[in-house]
Amino acid sequence: MSILLTAACTSQQHDKTSGPQAPGPEIDADQGGAYGWHKAMAVGTRFTDGLIHLELSGSSTSPLTIISVTPLMDGGPALRVLGFRVRVIPEMLPKNSKFGWFEFVGGFPPKESYATGGVAAEGFQVPATNGDDSKSVEFQIGYEVVAAGISNRTGVEVIYEYEGVRKRVIIPSHLTICAPANAPCQAQD
């Protein structure tokens, strides 16, 4: 009987240590602190939030593969997630565009010329930076306002694989959406 208990404990310990690890030198340790925005919107509004960026360091010598993107939502009733897009800045910016990261555009996926160029996030390979520390990954999340109330996002979890190791990073981008459009709205903690 004690053999079974030992095996169960060993299995549980293994599960805890086999989860994603903390980011390594491939990600810039200084992500710039928490940032975000808030707004009241009408029920039925669809939009894309592009103010979600992951700063890469120049230290990556291998591709980084996006496994999953998860907005950390509070369960409020106002928002439904429509999907995710990703683009590497500056390589995937549209022609004649110099900047990425936009706060808000209507619809999803975005159709505004400066916001296009994103691709499906899951399985996307971010090329190695090989010494270039000016690159970042922009995540675009599509939402629909589905009910009156408030929904709050406290960050965005990204699971990625780098050199065969799964890692987890939280992008400190927050979002508060209130509905209907005339509702008072302030950023939530």
Side-chain angles (χ1 to χ4, degrees):
M1 190 169 224
S2 65
I3 295 172
L4 291 175
L5 292 175
T6 304
C9 290
T10 303
S11 176
Q12 286 177 344
Q13 288 174 343
H14 176 69
D15 289 343
K16 287 180 182 179
T17 60
S18 65
Q21 296 182 10
E26 68 279 2
I27 302 296
D28 187 344
D30 179 18
Q31 293 291 311
Y35 60 92
W37 59 283
H38 63 280
K39 185 174 183 173
M41 295 184 189
V43 172
T45 302
R46 289 175 161 232
F47 67 96
T48 304
D49 175 11
L51 193 59
I52 307 160
H53 54 94
L54 181 61
E55 297 293 326
L56 303 173
S57 76
S59 299
S60 77
T61 55
S62 300
L64 180 148
T65 303
I66 305 299
I67 304 300
S68 66
V69 180
T70 306
L72 303 175
M73 305 299 293
D74 68 356
L79 287 180
R80 176 172 68 101
V81 176
L82 298 174
F84 310 94
R85 309 291 281 172
V86 63
R87 63 184 183 172
V88 177
I89 306 296
E91 286 90 336
M92 294 174 73
L93 288 174
K95 187 176 182 171
N96 298 324
S97 185
K98 295 181 180 164
F99 305 102
W101 317 335
F102 54 90
E103 184 174 285
F104 168 92
V105 295
F108 179 80
K111 305 246 186 284
E112 298 287 339
S113 61
Y114 61 87
T116 61
V119 298
E122 273 189 27
F124 179 76
Q125 283 201 333
V126 178
T129 56
N130 294 316
D132 183 353
D133 65 356
S134 67
K135 295 181 183 187
S136 65
V137 179
E138 175 191 78
F139 293 94
Q140 301 172 347
I141 302 179
Y143 293 98
E144 180 177 13
V145 182
V146 293
I150 300 172
S151 285
N152 188 51
R153 181 188 74 215
T154 58
V156 177
E157 176 191 68
V158 177
I159 305 291
Y160 66 93
E161 189 170 295
Y162 181 72
E163 296 183 341
V165 178
R166 282 214 174 175
K167 299 190 178 191
R168 174 182 181 261
V169 63
I170 302 292
I171 301 171
S173 174
H174 65 83
L175 172 68
T176 300
I177 299 297
C178 310
N182 61 352
C185 195
Q186 293 194 14
Q188 304 289 307
D189 290 331

